[in-house]
Amino acid sequence: MSGAGVTPSRHHRVAVAGASGRMGQMLIEAVNASPDCQLTGALDIAASPSIGLDAAAFTGRASGVLISADIRQGLKDSRVLIDFTRPEGTLAHLAACRELGVKLVIGTTGFSDAQKAEIAAAAKDIAIVMAPNMSVGVNVTFKLLEMAAKALSTGYDIEIVEAHHRHKVDAPSGTALKMGEVIADALGRDLKDCAVYAREGVTGERDPSTIGFAAVRGGDVVGDHTVMFLGTGERIEISHKSSSRSNYAQGSLRAARFLDAHATGLFDMFDVLGLKK
């Protein structure tokens, strides 16, 4: 029963990894602002100066949750962990989540094939949403790229250009790679066989079956991605530009809510948003 003066039930108990980082703070702010979510854990590396501080101290309002380097402590009251850290950290959190039965939303990028296989194995025991980009808009863009690739399957060269802030450590971005995978799948190709990640010197004429990538790093760019379909006499560009990380946080909460109905399995944002055929 609901009505005036009734406080909504916050039944999604969420922990956040990388709590003192920019993305972690954005997630904490989003969780605390959500009427159906409750912040129940905050994790960070042991060397972080924020260990022992209130997770929401940066907002000027206390959450009652202290940032901890103890994974088990940070997860003990939580149903789901949202993780945007580094591959090694995510895998450590994965092992604890698997042991404790805590579900996991993974926004971390840069995993090796072996690390991805480890995540897939853990999904036999816990439910996981893993996506290179949690933005709802980006995932709708993926769907548009799938449609465009099928319609422009011949006579068009495909190039993917992405830009991120100077602190990003992997290139191309996970989002750019996912765009390439979506396009390659739509064309019946394997991205591993058709991707071109660098051009320098006398490269020869462009192979029309390839998908090219270019990465720009600098400043405080949150994330810009443009896919160009270059034909004769025309060019179609599909772009997504992020001006804030808040869209990633909101998408992550949608993923956390989605997991409430699943005990095990590996899902992506197409599953969360109902974009799969």
Side-chain angles (χ1 to χ4, degrees):
M1 182 176 180
S2 63
V6 177
T7 302
S9 173
R10 291 179 172 241
H11 64 278
H12 299 290
R13 300 200 301 270
V14 179
V16 171
S20 64
R22 287 179 294 174
M23 190 62 216
Q25 291 182 345
M26 190 72 73
L27 286 164
I28 289 167
E29 203 164 13
V31 170
N32 285 338
S34 175
D36 64 341
C37 295
Q38 178 183 0
L39 184 69
T40 50
L43 295 169
D44 215 328
I45 59 174
S48 170
S50 297
I51 295 296
L53 300 180
D54 190 282
F58 66 95
T59 67
R61 299 179 63 182
S63 66
V65 174
L66 302 183
I67 298 176
S68 174
D70 185 329
I71 299 175
R72 296 180 66 89
Q73 175 67 24
L75 296 178
K76 68 183 182 67
D77 296 320
S78 303
R79 291 181 180 174
V80 60
L81 171 67
I82 302 177
D83 190 318
F84 282 74
T85 57
R86 299 283 179 89
E88 296 74 16
T90 299
L91 292 177
H93 298 152
L94 174 72
C97 286
R98 192 176 189 179
E99 179 185 348
L100 299 173
V102 175
K103 301 171 186 182
L104 188 57
V105 174
I106 300 175
T108 304
T109 60
F111 292 107
S112 67
D113 288 344
Q115 290 170 329
K116 290 177 182 177
E118 190 173 338
I119 293 167
K124 296 177 181 179
D125 297 319
I126 58 173
I128 300 171
V129 171
M130 178 176 168
N133 196 305
M134 293 289 169
S135 161
V136 172
V138 164
N139 283 278
V140 172
T141 302
F142 290 153
K143 193 66 177 179
L144 294 174
L145 290 172
E146 178 185 299
M147 296 167 62
K150 289 178 179 178
L152 307 172
S153 58
T154 58
Y156 291 84
D157 298 319
I158 303 168
E159 295 286 323
I160 301 171
V161 181
E162 56 97 344
H164 282 82
H165 51 88
R166 63 167 65 94
H167 303 293
K168 187 166 180 62
V169 298
D170 57 315
S173 69
T175 300
L177 290 172
K178 179 65 176 179
M179 286 176 164
E181 289 171 3
V182 168
I183 293 166
D185 288 347
L187 296 173
R189 304 174 192 168
D190 188 331
L191 186 63
K192 292 180 181 178
D193 299 328
C194 64
V196 174
Y197 297 113
R199 295 188 180 100
E200 184 179 6
V202 180
T203 61
E205 186 173 330
R206 189 188 194 283
D207 182 343
S209 69
T210 59
I211 297 173
F213 291 82
V216 176
R217 294 290 178 268
D220 62 354
V221 180
V222 174
D224 292 355
H225 296 85
T226 296
V227 178
M228 294 182 284
F229 295 85
L230 303 109
T232 301
E234 67 177 359
R235 179 173 75 249
I236 299 96
E237 296 186 0
I238 298 176
S239 296
H240 180 278
K241 300 181 187 296
S242 294
S243 58
S244 167
R245 290 175 177 78
S246 62
N247 53 344
Y248 307 143
Q250 292 303 322
S252 298
L253 292 188
R254 288 184 69 161
R257 296 182 185 103
F258 170 86
L259 287 178
D260 196 49
H262 301 274
T264 61
L266 181 60
F267 306 95
D268 60 22
M269 285 300 286
F270 271 28
D271 294 304
V272 174
L273 301 175
L275 294 176
K276 286 190 173 175
K277 294 180 180 178

